[in-house]
Amino acid sequence: QVQLVESGGGLAQAGGSLRLSCAASGRTFSSDAMGWFRQVPGKEREFVAAIPPGGFSRYYADSMKGRFTISKDNAKNTVYLQMESLKPEDTAVYYCAGRNRIGPVTTTRGYEYWGQGTQVTVSS
């Protein structure tokens, strides 16, 4: 059974940075697309960033471009999200997810396994 465990969340000040990690067990995700999503209470889970299996391209939500960077280390079976210039509106629970199916990586649909989430809180 696949397990994703996120870590690195916490409290940051506006303008600060955090690095989230997502470690996978039970599956080697080198052939999977990996994504980060976030959710605040009362709202739908939204796309943040994704990296296809080959790792040669990246996808970002418009509001994260230039501030967030997704990367992965296949040897460690870990995907990262480096977040810079944080804003209070980045406050959310951040989830990582993986998919092996071919399809769009910027929507929640199609992702086959999910982590439990890690809270990120940005104070003004």
Side-chain angles (χ1 to χ4, degrees):
Q1 187 173 353
V2 181
Q3 265 198 321
L4 297 177
V5 179
E6 299 100 334
S7 61
L11 179 64
Q13 289 189 335
S17 61
L18 284 173
R19 188 194 197 203
L20 305 183
S21 299
C22 173
S25 61
R27 180 179 182 88
T28 301
F29 65 49
S30 58
S31 60
D32 293 355
M34 301 299 296
W36 285 96
F37 295 80
R38 69 186 187 185
Q39 190 170 23
V40 297
K43 292 191 175 182
E44 291 188 354
R45 194 168 295 186
E46 67 170 348
F47 169 72
V48 174
I51 184 167
F56 297 108
S57 56
R58 311 282 192 273
Y59 300 90
Y60 298 97
D62 287 344
S63 61
M64 288 75 165
K65 286 180 182 176
R67 300 191 301 123
F68 291 8
T69 303
I70 188 171
S71 62
K72 67 175 182 174
D73 186 333
N74 287 335
K76 295 182 178 179
N77 232 26
T78 300
V79 62
Y80 304 96
L81 184 69
Q82 179 69 41
M83 305 186 293
E84 307 283 351
S85 302
L86 284 165
K87 305 174 182 179
E89 51 264 43
D90 293 321
T91 296
V93 177
Y94 285 71
Y95 299 88
C96 70
R99 60 179 294 157
N100 189 249
R101 300 171 184 162
I102 295 173
V105 297
T106 59
T107 66
T108 57
R109 188 180 302 176
Y111 278 86
E112 299 161 86
Y113 51 98
W114 292 81
Q116 82 290 348
T118 185
Q119 176 70 47
V120 171
T121 303
V122 183
S123 62
S124 58

